[in-house]
Amino acid sequence: MNNEKKEIKFDKFEKLDRKVEQKINEVENMSNKQLVNKALHTSFAGAAIWAVVLNIFMETLGRFSTTSIFGGIQFIFDNPLVFLYNTLIIFATLVIASLFKRRLFVFTIVSIFWMAIGIANGVILTQRMTPFTVKDLSVLDDGLTIVTNYMKTWQIALIAAGIIIAIGLLVLLFIKGPKKEDGVKWKRNLVGVVLVIASTFGATSFMINSGRVETFFGNLAYAYRDYGVAYCFVNTWLNTGISKPDGYSEEYMLNIFSKEELGDDNKLLLEEKDVDEKYPNIIFLQLESFIDPATITSIDVSGDVCPNFRKLVNNYPSGELTVPACGAGTANVEFEVMTGLSVKFFGPGEYPYKSVLKEKSTETLAYDLKSLGYSAHAIHNHRGVFYNRNIVFQNMGMDTFTSIEYMNDVEKTPKNWAKDDLLVECITDALDSTETRDMIYTISVQGHGKYPGEQVLENPKFQVTNAPSEELKWKFEYYVNQIGEMDDFVGRLVETLEKYKEPTVLVMYGDHIPAIDLTEGSLTNNNLYGTEYVIWNNFGMTGDDEDLYTYQLASHVMDMLDMQVGTVFTYQQKHKNSETYLSDLKAIGYDMLYGKYYMYGGTNPFEPSDMKMGVKKIKIDEVVKVGSKYYIKGENFNEYSKVTLKGKTLKTIYLGTNILGLLEEVDPEDVSDMKVSQVESKTNEIMSTTE
């Protein structure tokens, strides 16, 4: 009996051994293609392992500019639960490949998606201090137009070649790659995918409710560092606009204001007044990447870079200005100052210039001051279409917009940004263009990065004598010399306005710190979001120093001038000490931009302005034919002026402010129809055309 049991057991082991041997033989006889298919068909284990690898890759690149090549590994030990949660997000997208016959192709596409996010984030963080978001895709067209300012030609060519090769390999993989011939096990795989996605949603709820991750990012860079690249990037995709306040209604909105503020009609409509001469001209000067280099503790500079600005700070109302981003975000600073709303009410990394303000007009400082008889102007020594300013400024109530296409004798920095000194003439031209008081919003560009990591300035006025590294020495040396020239521009502007016959207020501030390797510890104020502002005037106005957020700056200036006008700015002046100050301000922003305009009686009272490009009239006096060539004589031409015929741009040579040469033949009968247009250099978009 015992012998029979031993034989039965031995027989079972023998059968098991034969099965194992059979499986080994099957594997040995498989082709590479079959092995790949087998590996992909077995389970989700491969996707889980790859998700871990991808997450480490993304986190490493996201930390490389500030920590080390082991930053991704360090994240696992510093915050293992958050790391696993981000891995789960990536895993949930990878397992979707199991629902397709061309599993490897889909798996590769999803992997490339995450790798591209990681690479883009890593590259962007070497150029600025704000991480990569979905909103950056909306400004991709703008970014491509200035890529030559950041990269060399061979680098651009190498990237383009890499993209072409990658696309070719993907096409080849789709055509030649493995395909599951015996069909997809839909039920099993679908159940698995649903369970993974459901687990991801459950984990998200747990992580948010437990406070391990947040949905509001007070500091985008810190959020990516603490909550992970995958989670934060997805959040910037799903979280957009201003969220609807709980209990939003007409009663809710009107209860924010007092009966006196609402008036008898329960509406916050602007009352048209012609009292501009009672008030001064108001000029905002937003200085690109401007901070005093003396506040950077990690470097030593050979001289005083900002004597003019510092003198103004010491003698006029000033303070620290907390801006919404570090190293980037110029357009969002403009938005905050002009509207009085914080961009932090919107989705993380969002640019209202690229979203809601492209389609909708809204109340701004320009509209408010125009109700008092002011004229409103915007000036920017860069391309007019950048950040859609040529459209957005109409929706913000500007009467004129002078972009670089309407400026003469533009001098450039070694990194191809326009220098700021020409803005003195642009500002005085705007002041002289009207009989009324003027509000002028000026955006400078000279201090813009990328800052070169090698020596490009010969015999610079200022030398950096000490820096953390050789590369940073050259970056800072380039930067401080641009800031020095910007400070000279500030001095010349103030000197010019001192002599101006009309009372004038000049509000100056840096839009953000430069996109160089700065930390809190390398700044005297320990604040990556802090710049400085000063309010100068030529008529003896005094005031106290006060630290502000950029969205409070305009209301602060108007308060000093005893001006109360506009919904947002009046609200800020009267309710800034309220316990519900920020929540109510956010509700006002929602009602203005996304809601039902309850504050205005149910309709948006602000129509887009009939904005004119430039303040100087460009016109044709006569067309002269010399030999077989045509020459156009007129006024206020520049290098962006092109002869156009029936909307088509003709080859033109700029010969002077009063003459253009035509470099192609035209039918003599069409000569009378020729016009002069200002043409944007990167996209060839026509900005405006002579009448």
Side-chain angles (χ1 to χ4, degrees):
M1 186 71 176
N2 289 336
N3 289 336
E4 287 180 3
K5 287 182 178 180
K6 288 179 181 179
E7 288 177 3
I8 292 171
K9 288 181 179 180
F10 179 79
D11 185 54
K12 287 182 178 179
F13 281 118
E14 190 177 48
K15 289 180 179 178
L16 181 61
D17 184 60
R18 283 198 300 270
K19 287 183 178 180
V20 171
E21 185 177 356
Q22 183 179 357
K23 288 293 183 183
I24 292 173
N25 290 333
E26 287 178 4
V27 171
E28 289 177 346
N29 293 327
M30 282 182 181
S31 65
N32 290 335
K33 179 178 176 180
Q34 290 172 321
L35 280 172
V36 171
N37 277 327
K38 188 70 177 177
L40 291 174
H41 293 171
T42 51
S43 68
F44 290 178
I49 294 171
W50 184 238
V52 173
V53 173
L54 284 175
N55 199 16
I56 293 174
F57 173 79
M58 293 168 65
E59 295 298 337
T60 298
L61 289 180
R63 289 164 166 75
F64 185 71
S65 61
T66 55
T67 55
S68 70
I69 58 173
F70 302 108
I73 300 294
Q74 186 64 41
F75 184 43
I76 300 175
F77 294 99
D78 291 342
N79 208 331
L81 193 60
V82 174
F83 178 85
L84 289 175
Y85 169 59
N86 278 266
T87 300
L88 181 60
I89 293 174
I90 299 170
F91 176 59
T93 61
L94 290 171
V95 296
I96 294 174
S98 66
L99 301 176
F100 296 85
K101 287 185 177 182
R102 298 186 184 275
R103 192 168 300 178
L104 182 60
F105 176 78
V106 177
F107 192 86
T108 302
I109 291 291
V110 176
S111 299
I112 289 174
F113 168 77
W114 289 112
M115 291 174 69
I117 291 172
I119 293 170
N121 187 50
V123 170
I124 283 175
L125 286 174
T126 65
Q127 312 298 333
R128 71 183 196 198
M129 305 175 77
T130 306
F132 179 57
T133 71
V134 170
K135 310 305 183 301
D136 284 314
L137 298 176
S138 68
V139 298
L140 182 61
D141 53 343
D142 287 335
L144 291 175
T145 62
I146 60 171
V147 69
T148 53
N149 293 48
Y150 288 87
M151 305 179 72
K152 296 184 171 90
T153 304
W154 68 267
Q155 292 174 318
I156 298 171
L158 193 63
I159 292 173
I163 292 173
I164 292 171
I165 292 171
I167 293 173
L169 290 174
L170 282 175
V171 173
L172 188 64
L173 178 62
F174 182 81
I175 297 172
K176 299 291 187 180
K179 179 181 178 182
K180 187 168 174 55
E181 302 294 346
D182 55 346
V184 177
K185 295 181 180 179
W186 291 103
K187 291 183 179 180
R188 185 193 69 180
N189 293 353
L190 185 59
V191 169
V193 170
V194 170
L195 287 175
V196 171
I197 293 176
S199 299
T200 305
F201 277 104
T204 300
S205 178
F206 167 76
M207 296 295 286
I208 293 173
N209 292 333
S210 63
R212 287 172 170 82
V213 298
E214 300 287 345
T215 56
F216 172 75
F217 301 158
N219 183 315
L220 196 61
Y222 291 172
Y224 270 65
R225 180 195 66 189
D226 297 338
Y227 310 143
V229 175
Y231 168 73
C232 289
F233 184 84
V234 171
N235 203 294
T236 66
W237 169 45
L238 298 176
N239 187 0
T240 60
I242 301 177
S243 59
K244 183 178 180 180
D246 293 336
Y248 173 71
S249 65
E250 183 175 14
E251 182 182 8
Y252 176 98
M253 291 307 305
L254 296 182
N255 281 340
I256 292 174
F257 306 93
S258 67
K259 292 294 183 182
E260 292 179 353
E261 291 169 318
L262 288 172
D264 296 334
D265 57 0
N266 273 359
K267 297 177 184 178
L268 291 164
L269 298 176
L270 292 174
E271 182 182 348
E272 296 293 332
K273 300 177 182 178
D274 187 17
V275 294
D276 56 303
E277 290 190 6
K278 177 183 176 182
Y279 301 109
N281 299 308
I282 303 174
I283 303 171
F284 289 87
L285 175 56
Q286 183 170 301
L287 296 162
E288 173 63 44
S289 302
F290 187 93
I291 61 172
D292 186 343
T295 64
I296 304 174
T297 60
S298 57
I299 63 171
D300 294 324
V301 186
S302 61
D304 186 0
V305 181
C306 296
N308 293 309
F309 191 84
R310 191 180 305 110
K311 180 181 178 181
L312 295 173
V313 167
N314 291 334
N315 289 281
Y316 292 90
S318 60
E320 184 173 275
L321 188 68
T322 299
V323 298
C326 57
T330 296
N332 278 349
V333 176
E334 297 167 40
F335 173 84
E336 289 204 349
V337 175
M338 288 292 294
T339 64
L341 301 174
S342 171
V343 294
K344 290 183 179 179
F345 297 157
F346 295 78
E350 186 169 350
Y351 287 89
Y353 277 21
K354 284 288 185 177
S355 54
V356 63
L357 283 182
K358 283 175 62 179
E359 311 295 336
K360 186 178 294 186
S361 56
T362 192
E363 184 177 353
T364 65
L365 181 63
Y367 282 115
D368 293 343
L369 292 181
K370 284 166 67 174
S371 72
L372 301 180
Y374 276 72
S375 297
H377 313 272
I379 300 171
H380 185 30
N381 52 338
H382 193 51
R383 301 165 50 244
V385 301
F386 203 64
Y387 279 108
N388 302 308
R389 287 185 176 97
N390 60 321
I391 298 171
V392 169
F393 284 161
Q394 295 181 60
N395 289 332
M396 297 178 79
M398 292 296 182
D399 294 315
T400 71
F401 174 29
T402 303
S403 61
I404 197 170
E405 291 86 2
Y406 298 84
M407 299 178 184
N408 295 96
D409 303 321
V410 179
E411 187 180 355
K412 298 290 187 71
T413 71
K415 296 304 292 182
N416 204 37
W417 301 104
K419 292 191 174 184
D420 289 342
D421 193 63
L422 83 168
L423 294 174
V424 174
E425 181 182 351
C426 295
I427 290 171
T428 54
D429 285 342
L431 289 171
D432 293 339
S433 68
T434 69
E435 297 295 328
T436 63
R437 294 288 189 257
D438 297 286
M439 189 285 290
I440 303 175
Y441 200 100
T442 308
I443 308 131
S444 120
V445 80
Q446 181 169 352
H448 207 295
K450 174 182 179 183
Y451 310 106
E454 65 280 340
Q455 185 176 15
V456 298
L457 301 176
E458 295 183 8
N459 302 315
K461 181 178 180 180
F462 302 102
Q463 293 182 334
V464 172
T465 57
N466 179 50
S469 68
E470 184 77 5
E471 181 183 6
L472 286 175
K473 166 185 166 64
W474 300 124
K475 286 185 176 182
F476 278 115
E477 188 162 287
Y478 174 89
Y479 170 72
V480 299
N481 278 279
Q482 302 311 314
I483 295 300
E485 291 187 10
M486 293 170 71
D487 186 70
D488 291 340
F489 149 63
V490 167
R492 194 164 82 87
L493 176 61
V494 169
E495 184 180 349
T496 301
L497 294 176
E498 279 178 337
K499 302 172 185 176
Y500 202 71
K501 294 179 180 179
E502 296 177 1
T504 301
V505 170
L506 174 62
V507 187
M508 293 177 285
Y509 50 92
D511 61 351
H512 50 71
I513 66 172
I516 311 180
D517 295 343
L518 293 172
T519 62
E520 289 96 334
S522 58
L523 295 168
T524 55
N525 63 358
N526 297 310
N527 183 8
L528 292 175
Y529 292 80
T531 66
E532 236 175 341
Y533 78 89
V534 61
I535 304 172
W536 173 91
N537 68 91
N538 64 356
F539 56 92
M541 181 184 70
T542 59
D544 297 328
D545 293 349
E546 186 174 343
D547 294 340
L548 301 168
Y549 289 90
T550 44
Y551 59 84
Q552 298 173 320
L553 183 60
S555 66
H556 179 68
V557 173
M558 290 199 292
D559 205 22
M560 293 176 65
L561 295 170
D562 196 26
M563 299 173 70
Q564 289 189 349
V565 62
T567 305
V568 176
F569 303 115
T570 300
Y571 168 80
Q572 289 190 3
Q573 290 169 341
K574 294 186 176 182
H575 299 266
K576 61 183 177 182
N577 296 320
S578 167
E579 292 183 359
T580 57
Y581 168 64
L582 279 179
S583 61
D584 286 347
L585 184 60
K586 184 177 180 180
I588 290 170
Y590 177 83
D591 194 53
M592 288 168 55
L593 291 167
Y594 301 96
K596 296 184 178 180
Y597 308 111
Y598 288 132
M599 300 181 302
Y600 306 126
T603 58
N604 183 1
F606 302 99
E607 294 290 333
S609 63
D610 184 18
M611 188 178 74
K612 175 188 173 186
M613 294 300 297
V615 296
K616 291 182 177 180
K617 186 175 182 179
I618 300 170
K619 67 175 186 175
I620 298 173
D621 291 330
E622 61 176 327
V623 178
V624 178
K625 186 175 183 181
V626 179
S628 60
K629 301 293 184 183
Y630 286 99
Y631 296 88
I632 294 83
K633 292 185 177 182
E635 297 179 15
N636 299 316
F637 300 150
N638 64 16
E639 294 179 356
Y640 296 90
S641 301
K642 305 293 180 184
V643 179
T644 54
L645 181 61
K646 299 176 181 177
K648 179 184 176 183
T649 302
L650 306 180
K651 292 180 182 179
T652 308
I653 183 171
Y654 170 67
L655 299 173
T657 57
N658 301 111
I659 188 166
L660 302 173
L662 186 60
L663 297 180
E664 60 181 276
E665 295 182 1
V666 295
D667 189 328
E669 294 183 0
D670 292 331
V671 169
S672 60
D673 293 327
M674 291 194 305
K675 300 181 183 299
V676 172
S677 301
Q678 299 306 109
V679 180
E680 204 277 330
S681 59
K682 298 288 186 179
T683 63
N684 292 323
E685 179 178 339
I686 294 176
M687 308 288 293
S688 66
T689 301
T690 53
E691 297 176 357

